Amino acid sequence: MSDGTAAPDPDAVGAGPAAPEPEAPLHGRLERIQGAQQRVHSTWDSLPWFLRWSVVWSACLLIIAGGVYLLATLASRLAPLTIALAATLFLAAMLDPLAVRLRRLRLPPALAALISLFLLLAVIGGAAYLVWTLTADQFSSLSKQLDEGLDRTRDFITGSLPVSPEQLDRWTKQATDGLRKSTPDPVAGARTAAEVAGAVLLIFVLLFFLLKDGRPMWHWVLSRVSDRSRPAFVQAGRNGWHTLSAYTRGTVAIAAIDGIGIGLALVLLGVPLAFPLAVVTFLGGFIPIIGATVAGSVAVLVALAAKGPTTALLALLAVIAVQQTEGNLLEPLIMKRQVRLHPVVILVAVTAGTLFGGIAGAFVAVPVTAVVYRVVDTVTALRQGRDPA
């Protein structure tokens, strides 16, 4: 029986916008993901063990090489700052024992750092003044000696080698023209001089504050390290600093031995500019292997130009004798085990440093490599429960 009202349409109830199509069930997607993972695992397990080992180690090496390359690129872009920081750490490691002894005499840290800095400036200034004085005294007779030596060298080359005077003159002119073209323009030279002056000023300012506040800075860094990692951090930092200090003092001693030995040989042979050449040899000793070889070659070339082939041969024998004695006998005694690196590692480090940063890169490459190796070795020993000392 109808009351005249229409019955509601079930299809019309809740009518509105069409509902979106339902997505695929979640468990279906999970099954596909698990299936893909199983296929990857089965493919990986089916590979030979040496191929899997090669893939893993290659990936690790690529990541490490990429990180090192980025750091080296950043350091080369900020070359003045990088060189200033490296030189500051190098000088601080050399002067820190002196500053410590001065503080033990109840001197304030600022005064101890200032005295150490003034002593360094006095040594550098005195050496520069002595080099300039001795060089200026020999300039009057040096030009004539070099002219005579070059004539003797020319006669020796054309008389004992299949080289005609015309060929020798042409090669000499080409070398002179190449050196003239490679000379930087005045604007670039002035910019480089300004950068060097700014870097030197920054080095001395940083060196003063590092000698004065180095230990509070280190304690501040340690306070930011977690309690769990702090013992390893302390041990690694201490061993790395001891390595840098030992390397610095050992390098200074070895370079001084090279400079004194070769300088005395040049004095006995009557080679002009013996003391400046000894200073060049001393500075070259801070670049392992390559620096001493280049400095010795410069001394031999000066002896050849000024005194002739016989004196040059004797100078070459003296350079070889000094460097062999230093490398095979004195260096193992001075450097000891904690900073000794294999010659292959040193050559690779010096070459990489030279490619990225020139002479400055070659100077800092070996100490950085020695410190990094010591820190990694310390952390590895602590993780393995061995004594890192």
Side-chain angles (χ1 to χ4, degrees):
M1 179 176 176
S2 174
D3 57 359
T5 60
D9 186 0
D11 295 333
V13 177
E21 292 291 331
E23 297 182 358
L26 180 60
H27 66 85
R29 287 189 294 173
L30 291 177
E31 288 179 354
R32 288 196 296 270
I33 294 174
Q34 291 176 355
Q37 291 178 346
Q38 291 176 357
R39 288 193 296 272
V40 171
H41 290 167
S42 61
T43 303
W44 176 258
D45 293 336
S46 64
L47 295 176
W49 68 268
F50 63 87
L51 187 57
R52 288 180 287 174
W53 182 88
S54 301
V55 169
V56 173
W57 278 101
S58 297
C60 294
L61 289 176
L62 286 176
I63 294 173
I64 294 174
V68 172
Y69 178 78
L70 290 177
L71 290 176
T73 303
L74 180 62
S76 63
R77 294 291 180 89
L78 304 175
L81 179 60
T82 304
I83 295 171
L85 292 175
T88 300
L89 291 174
F90 194 87
L91 293 174
M94 182 174 60
L95 295 177
D96 185 63
L98 175 61
V100 170
R101 288 186 176 87
L102 292 175
R103 286 197 297 268
R104 288 176 180 173
L105 297 176
R106 304 298 179 87
L107 292 179
L111 183 58
L114 198 60
I115 292 175
S116 302
L117 198 60
F118 278 145
L119 287 177
L120 176 64
L121 289 174
V123 171
I124 295 176
Y129 175 76
L130 190 58
V131 169
W132 173 259
T133 302
L134 295 178
T135 304
D137 292 340
Q138 296 181 7
F139 269 147
S140 58
S141 60
L142 180 61
S143 178
K144 182 179 179 180
Q145 288 181 340
L146 288 177
D147 290 339
E148 295 176 353
L150 289 175
D151 292 337
R152 289 194 300 267
T153 304
R154 174 189 172 89
D155 296 338
F156 173 77
I157 293 175
T158 56
S160 59
L161 297 177
V163 178
S164 64
E166 292 77 11
Q167 289 177 327
L168 186 60
D169 291 338
R170 185 171 64 253
W171 294 342
T172 304
K173 186 178 183 302
Q174 291 175 355
T176 304
D177 294 340
L179 290 176
R180 188 180 296 111
K181 292 179 181 179
S182 64
T183 303
D185 60 279
V187 176
R191 184 171 60 249
T192 303
E195 291 179 355
V196 170
V200 170
L201 180 61
L202 180 61
I203 286 171
F204 285 113
V205 173
L206 292 177
L207 181 59
F208 170 76
F209 284 108
L210 194 58
L211 292 175
K212 174 179 174 290
D213 299 323
R215 283 164 178 78
M217 292 178 184
W218 174 243
H219 291 311
W220 181 86
V221 172
L222 291 179
S223 65
R224 268 61 183 175
V225 180
S226 63
D227 295 337
R228 179 181 178 183
S229 303
R230 188 173 299 155
F233 203 86
V234 170
Q235 189 66 34
R238 182 183 294 114
N239 288 350
W241 180 253
H242 288 168
T243 298
L244 181 60
S245 301
Y247 177 86
T248 303
R249 293 191 294 270
T251 301
V252 170
I254 291 172
I257 291 171
D258 283 344
I260 293 173
I262 294 176
L264 287 176
L266 296 177
V267 169
L268 294 176
L269 293 174
V271 177
L273 301 178
F275 186 78
L277 290 174
V279 174
V280 171
T281 304
F282 170 76
L283 297 177
F286 287 91
I287 302 176
I289 300 177
I290 297 177
T293 303
V294 173
S297 301
V298 172
V300 173
L301 289 176
V302 172
L304 177 64
K307 292 294 184 179
T310 303
T311 304
L313 180 60
L314 294 175
L316 177 61
L317 293 176
V319 169
I320 293 175
V322 171
Q323 291 184 356
Q324 289 299 315
T325 303
E326 167 259 309
N328 297 321
L329 179 62
L330 298 178
E331 185 174 0
L333 295 177
I334 295 175
M335 289 294 191
K336 299 181 180 179
R337 292 180 178 271
Q338 57 181 336
V339 293
R340 289 190 63 188
L341 296 174
H342 195 277
V344 173
V345 177
I346 294 176
L347 283 174
V348 171
V350 171
T351 303
T354 304
L355 292 176
F356 273 102
I359 296 177
F363 169 75
V364 303
V366 177
V368 168
T369 303
V371 171
V372 170
Y373 170 77
R374 183 62 173 159
V375 169
V376 172
D377 182 68
T378 299
V379 174
T380 302
L382 290 175
R383 288 182 177 275
Q384 296 177 353
R386 295 186 288 107
D387 184 11

